[in-house]
Amino acid sequence: MCVIPGLIDAHSHPVWAGDRVHEFALKLAGATYMEVHQAGGGIHFTVTHTRQASADQLLSSLTQRLGRMLRSGTTLVECKSGYGLDLDTELKMLMVIERARRSLDIGISSTYCGAHAVPKGKTVAEATEDIIKVQLPALREKMEQGELSVDNIDVFCEKGVFDLDSSRAILQAGKDMGLQINFHGDELHPMNSAQLGAELNALAISHLEEVTNDGIAAMAKAGTSAVLLPTTAYILRLPQPRARDMLDRGVIVALGSDFNPNAYCCSMPMVMHLACVNMRMTMNEALVAATINAAYALGLSQSHGSLEVGKQGDLLILNSSRWEHLIYQFGGHQELIKYVIIKGNVVYENDKVMDL
């Protein structure tokens, strides 16, 4: 067998209600992400159902999803809110994430993503004002009272969603209250999000399918990590993130599943496989991106992401003499991962794996 660090999922949206399997057929027929979104599907469809769901219902589904991630080798996962778009639902989602953090074995980095979309009936300016003057102050109060522990702030900086100025204002407001900047940028259009992230000393920027050369250079200089999401480009048939250009220019590249109703993937080994095949990363680069670099993107590289004295004991034991099989065997993680260990404790033993 062999031992590797526990995998880290640097970008996920695992708290939501409502099934969007019907949209998959629309996408296969050629509908774009924004066409589905503008027709009332996408994020807004999920927002409607998430607002209606109880906290217990959301916690139940979140627990099941995180369990699937853990069995696939993920020992630390970033979890976003963002399917509320109003104060009550965003707080409900963050409290569900907090309950999961306190009760489950898997590690969680919590992200407030109230600027995931512009709520129906509001302008970008109105939504931005609501986030800065209503939602963030309420969030700060919950954090100061010890009810919530939120780590990151996220914005969907995109044409037709939050523009550069509104994104800057929201991210700066979050940074001012101690949150790490970790946001969606340059996914569907080149928005100069990478340059904005570098300007704000963002910890991480996700997606970056449409990042420019100047944006890559700015991220490399600032030490802002790129969280690349090969599942999204695969499902939406988008241009692949330019992983090779980023790596060659010194950008810290991490990987995430982007688990959400649009990209339903709980498995970081499958994400790593797609990163190697579609984004031309080496297997070594993919392992680094799904461990120590993902920890860096969450501000946790001093305690997670590698097997070193003094760090948290999160690791996998694989039923193979070569760790590369975890990537090479596409979808084979279900039989390769023998043990998942978190904080030095065995939290999952795969009885289906035959002992050598």
Side-chain angles (χ1 to χ4, degrees), residues 11-225:
H11 182 121
S12 82
H13 303 256
V15 186
W16 46 269
D19 196 326
R20 274 161 50 190
V21 66
H22 61 283
E23 291 182 9
F24 189 48
L26 297 176
K27 298 185 186 86
L28 294 178
T32 68
Y33 177 88
M34 290 307 292
E35 285 171 347
V36 173
H37 182 75
Q38 290 162 359
I43 293 172
H44 288 307
F45 179 90
T46 304
V47 167
T48 299
H49 288 78
T50 304
R51 287 178 177 179
Q52 295 170 350
S54 70
D56 286 343
Q57 289 172 325
L58 292 175
L59 180 61
S60 176
S61 59
L62 172 62
T63 300
Q64 292 175 352
R65 293 161 188 161
L66 293 180
R68 290 180 65 178
M69 291 179 176
L70 185 145
R71 293 190 294 274
S72 298
T74 296
T75 54
L76 172 64
V77 57
E78 184 258 9
C79 297
K80 302 179 189 293
S81 68
Y83 290 118
L85 309 184
D86 61 21
L87 175 60
D88 290 344
T89 314
E90 288 295 312
L91 286 179
K92 177 174 67 174
M93 295 180 71
L94 290 169
M95 288 301 298
V96 165
I97 293 171
E98 185 68 22
R99 288 169 64 185
R101 190 211 293 260
R102 295 181 183 184
S103 63
L104 303 179
D105 291 313
I106 194 168
I108 292 175
S109 177
S110 177
T111 300
Y112 164 71
C113 188
H116 197 195
V118 178
K120 290 182 178 179
K122 284 191 176 181
T123 64
V124 173
E126 290 169 340
T128 301
E129 184 178 18
D130 179 63
I131 289 167
I132 293 174
K133 295 188 176 180
V134 178
Q135 295 191 35
L136 283 175
L139 180 59
R140 182 203 291 266
E141 184 178 346
K142 293 284 186 183
M143 292 170 65
E144 290 175 346
Q145 293 172 347
E147 296 180 40
L148 274 178
S149 179
V150 180
D151 306 295
N152 317 291
I153 185 163
D154 193 349
V155 172
F156 189 9
C157 182
E158 182 55 69
K159 183 178 179 181
V161 192
F162 288 91
D163 59 23
L164 215 57
D165 288 341
S166 57
S167 296
R168 179 186 288 106
I170 293 168
L171 293 172
Q172 185 63 57
K175 183 178 181 180
D176 289 344
M177 56 182 277
L179 300 178
Q180 300 171 144
I181 296 178
N182 186 330
F183 72 108
H184 293 60
D186 293 333
E187 177 183 358
L188 304 174
H189 299 89
M191 298 283 294
N192 291 328
S193 301
Q195 292 91 321
L196 172 64
E199 170 195 326
L200 296 175
N201 289 314
L203 192 57
I205 306 172
S206 293
H207 283 291
L208 298 165
E209 288 86 351
E210 296 290 343
V211 70
T212 63
N213 290 335
D214 288 345
I216 291 175
M219 291 181 69
K221 184 177 181 180
T224 296
S225 57

